[in-house]
Amino acid sequence: MRYAHRAESNYEYSNSTKESSDECYAAESMIPGVNTHPMTQIEPETSNLKKMSIITTTGLTKVYNADQVPVHALRGVDLTIDKGEFTSIVGPSGSGKTTLLNIIGGLDEPTEGKALIDNTDLTTLSDRKLINFRLHHIGFVFQAYNLIPVLTALENVSFIMQMQGRSSRECREKSIDLLKEVGLEDKINKRPSELSGGQQQRVAVARALASKPAFVLADEPTANLDSVSTAELLDMMLELNEREEMTFVFSTHDQRVIDRARRVVTLVDGKIDTDEKR
Amino acid sequence: MFVNILKLGWKNVWRNPARSGVVIIAVLLGTWAGIFSAGFFNGMLQDYLHKQIELSIGHMQVEHPQFGDLYNPKYSVSNSNEIVSYLEAQPYTREISAKSIATGLAQSPHSSFGVTINGIDVEADTSLAIEQYITEGEMIDTTSRNPILIGIELAERLDLELRSRMVLSFQDVTGEITGGAFRVAGIFDSFIDQFDESTVFVLQSDLNRLLGNMDAIHNIRVDMDDLATAEMHAEEIEQAFPGVLVKTWRDIAPDLRYTFDMMDLTLYIVMIIIIIGLVFSIINTMLMAVLERTRELGMLRAIGMNKSRTFSMVMIETVFLTMVGAPGGLLLSWLCITYFGNVGIDLSAFAQGLNQYGIGTVVYPSLTWSYYLNIMLMIALAALLSALYPAWRTLKLKPVQAIRKFN
Ligand SMILES: Nc1ncnc2c1ncn2[C@@H]1O[C@H](COP(=O)(O)OP(=O)(O)OP(=O)(O)O)[C@@H](O)[C@H]1O
Ligand SMILES: [Mg+2]
């Protein structure tokens, strides 16, 4: 129920993603008996697809050209993540986890390949539209510096909804609900500096959920946390995943976190090495 | 959303209270210093203007329309008694003095110099301004024969001392050259060199006898309570007495007005210099604030805060930073100007030389409302301008680069 509105908010982007849906269409057309002509029968098929995969990357490569020597951070990553998955991206340092998440999150552009996120090919979006896309479709949790230090937990969570242009009453009520959900009902008026690292990350998760995103992206969300806070944060994320069917994609180095993921994608040297669902 | 960005901007100002405090105090003191010094110099100038007016010009002067052309003494004000009684009856009049005037040559055995000779009626005009500037000797009176009051500059030029004899020669009402010998009764030092070198005062009866018209009045000077109404009353008088010309202080001394305008400009230039200094310190502070918040701003951009919002957030923050101090500075300077405007600032202890420039040693600062208003506008404009650069820096921010720094 909570995320039911998402269908409408996707809608405004679906026009700009016509080209990108050709990709899906190409795949579909392989199925016998399906009309291969675009725009006629394709709609029901794609909307079916829409429901399933939230993230689809094809042949994603990223080459950094700093310091004259090109660095191949990603060397062709094909990854599909469906709605409701709880995916951990793992791999040694420098294997390209952050790079991959940044591209999926619309924070960086691939050198080659495509990232189809919530049915939108991000490479087709202008800078302005991309910011707006992130605001409405993706929830972010970073390793640190997630929160605005001068705002309370409540204000931090409300802020993103205010940016989305929702009424202040709705922002407030929804923020309180979310902070309750992450177990911080008694901390709503505390500033980040008055919260522990684990509590700050939970506020960040609440903030990420507040925008009613298609999925939550988290680059090493537990890297700065002790084991107790890590476990608590993970419990909470898993619960949201089960109860709300919220999709989480996160990177981590922490074996205890990896152990609890439903799907573990291992990157080695910019390529997917193993992809294990459990 | 705008309201939320406003609130956030305000809270951001107080992130680093010490640093913001320094800027706020700098703005406050800068505003105060700029405005108060403007008030101070304006007060000095007003004092100078009033002295000038008091000494030589008055607020209005009534003359024969042709007298001003060549100072020909035959053009006297014919119905001067009537005009004087009329003016005495007017509520705006504070003082009236009627004098006869001749222009001619002052000669000593040494040298000669062109002067304006004022014939004053020491019995009728009991409070002649020149009296207070006499530094040697005393005011002329009817007890001595042909006494004359000369300025210190003329005394030096003609090498005259108290009780020296000198000769004045000029045209009489018929156009003949006439003249007489006078004895220096007093020497004045008005501080206005030009005045001190070319103005002399003699008894009206002495001058008029030589001019050949005992009733000659060439100039009736009126001082009023409010000099701003001079133009209005000048017209009334001209209507009541069609045969005369009434000039106001503005007509008589356009140079005073020019001085005034220049002073105004100078005051603004001083303020602009102060504001430029403030702008740099504000930009510096805000750049620091933006740079040390790169990660946070990157995070905000990453989660979906668009450029115009981060831009306006920093703009608002800068404007707040400026606008907290400015009204305080305005208020403080207003209080100081009002207080010292009444009490006066006594500079006699460390500014002996001021008199040379025609400025009194007690300064009464004053400033018009329009100046306050203009300063307020200038500061607001400066705040906006200094906000632009730091805010513009946020536009170049790339969220990934900002976030990369986490690791
Ligand atoms: N902006 C950049 N310029 C140049 N090289 C970069 C840049 N960002 C990342 N790289 C390089 O790309 C490769 C992949 O980096 P990435 O940060 O994605 O790895 P990671 O798996 O997230 O590592 P870690 O586990 O340490 O966070 C690394 O070799 C890194 O040095
Ligand atoms: Mg990383």
Side-chain angles (χ1 to χ4, degrees), chain A residues 97-98 219-220, chain B residues 404 407:
Chain A
K97 303 183 292 295
T98 299
D219 192 8
E220 304 198 30
Chain B
R404 278 276 177 198
N407 306 328

Side-chain angles (χ1 to χ4, degrees), chain A residues 19-185:
Chain A
E19 315 95 281
S20 61
S21 42
D22 287 350
E23 201 98 17
C24 321
Y25 160 70
E28 281 304 295
S29 65
M30 306 306 267
I31 303 164
V34 171
N35 189 336
T36 53
H37 201 271
M39 310 319 265
T40 50
Q41 283 188 298
I42 194 71
E43 288 302 339
E45 300 297 333
T46 45
S47 62
N48 220 0
L49 259 186
K50 202 185 273 182
K51 229 179 183 178
M52 290 299 292
S53 78
I54 286 181
I55 298 163
T56 309
T57 72
T58 38
L60 221 52
T61 38
K62 179 73 183 179
V63 182
Y64 290 111
N65 279 314
D67 308 328
Q68 268 84 50
V69 195
V71 178
H72 294 264
L74 295 179
R75 304 164 187 265
V77 174
D78 300 305
L79 178 67
T80 302
I81 292 174
D82 292 338
K83 180 162 171 52
E85 282 196 297
F86 196 77
T87 308
S88 168
I89 312 280
V90 303
S93 188
S95 56
K97 303 183 292 295
T98 299
T99 307
L100 177 61
L101 290 186
N102 280 348
I103 293 171
I104 291 172
L107 297 171
D108 207 352
E109 287 174 359
T111 312
E112 262 171 62
K114 275 196 172 162
L116 196 65
I117 308 300
D118 207 12
N119 283 298
T120 304
D121 181 354
L122 298 188
T123 53
T124 64
L125 297 185
S126 67
D127 222 29
R128 248 188 71 239
K129 280 193 171 158
L130 197 58
I131 293 179
N132 209 34
F133 182 87
R134 294 199 298 263
L135 177 62
H136 289 276
H137 295 252
I138 308 174
F140 288 94
V141 178
F142 303 106
Q143 181 183 328
Y145 304 102
N146 269 297
L147 306 177
I148 305 174
V150 293
L151 299 184
T152 63
L154 179 66
E155 289 165 339
N156 262 291
V157 177
S158 296
F159 193 72
I160 195 158
M161 288 193 273
Q162 287 157 355
M163 287 199 291
Q164 288 178 323
R166 295 201 247 159
S167 77
S168 48
R169 209 177 117 252
E170 190 194 349
C171 292
R172 196 186 149 75
E173 285 173 2
K174 183 84 200 296
S175 304
I176 292 174
D177 282 352
L178 283 167
L179 285 168
K180 271 183 194 157
E181 213 160 318
V182 299
L184 291 174
E185 54 267 57

Side-chain angles (χ1 to χ4, degrees), chain B residues 102-334:
Chain B
T103 56
L105 210 58
Q107 290 164 282
S108 73
H110 252 269
S111 176
S112 62
F113 199 73
V115 291
T116 301
I117 306 151
N118 293 281
I120 52 176
D121 185 345
V122 289
E123 262 133 35
D125 298 336
T126 48
S127 58
L128 283 158
I130 192 63
E131 202 169 342
Q132 68 201 56
Y133 298 104
I134 293 173
T135 51
E136 273 180 80
E138 54 202 24
M139 189 64 185
I140 48 174
D141 60 35
T142 49
T143 58
S144 45
R145 264 180 54 94
N146 283 3
I148 185 169
L149 210 54
I150 62 172
I152 188 147
E153 298 290 328
L154 186 66
E156 273 168 26
R157 267 181 183 278
L158 302 187
D159 201 12
L160 293 169
E161 290 171 3
L162 275 185
R163 272 173 288 283
S164 298
R165 268 167 60 91
M166 62 183 290
V167 172
L168 297 175
S169 46
F170 45 91
Q171 248 186 1
D172 70 9
V173 291
T174 63
E176 296 294 319
I177 295 292
T178 180
F182 291 80
R183 192 177 290 279
V184 177
I187 296 175
F188 58 83
D189 181 2
S190 76
F191 61 73
I192 305 165
D193 286 358
Q194 196 202 347
F195 184 85
D196 290 348
E197 127 191 301
S198 63
T199 315
V200 300
F201 294 87
V202 300
L203 294 175
Q204 203 167 80
S205 49
D206 292 342
L207 180 62
N208 285 7
R209 185 163 14 86
L210 292 166
L211 283 171
N213 176 2
M214 284 313 288
D215 298 323
I217 291 294
H218 296 107
N219 179 293
I220 303 166
R221 172 185 147 166
V222 187
D223 284 38
M224 317 191 303
D225 291 323
D226 177 10
L227 88 175
T229 59
E231 264 81 19
M232 193 175 84
H233 297 311
E235 258 174 53
E236 288 170 14
I237 300 165
E238 280 184 342
Q239 269 160 18
F241 303 94
V244 299
L245 177 70
V246 186
K247 296 188 284 189
T248 67
W249 66 277
R250 279 184 222 270
D251 308 325
I252 302 161
D255 52 322
L256 279 187
R257 254 171 82 189
Y258 176 71
T259 312
F260 234 43
D261 292 345
M262 281 308 291
M263 186 69 176
D264 224 30
L265 190 65
T266 313
L267 297 185
Y268 279 111
I269 289 172
V270 168
M271 198 62 216
I272 286 169
I273 291 169
I274 290 176
I275 287 178
I276 288 173
L278 292 177
V279 162
F280 277 103
S281 88
I282 293 165
I283 290 179
N284 185 45
T285 303
M286 282 309 297
L287 270 184
M288 265 202 275
V290 169
L291 291 181
E292 74 187 8
R293 245 187 277 156
T294 306
R295 287 159 174 173
E296 184 185 322
L297 290 167
M299 178 275 293
L300 287 170
R301 182 67 55 74
I303 66 169
M305 188 165 184
N306 61 31
K307 290 185 178 185
S308 66
R309 281 171 178 162
T310 46
F311 186 85
S312 48
M313 183 174 79
V314 173
M315 282 288 282
I316 286 165
E317 193 174 328
T318 318
V319 171
F320 272 139
L321 191 64
T322 313
M323 292 325 248
V324 174
L330 275 172
L331 185 71
L332 193 66
S333 51
W334 177 77

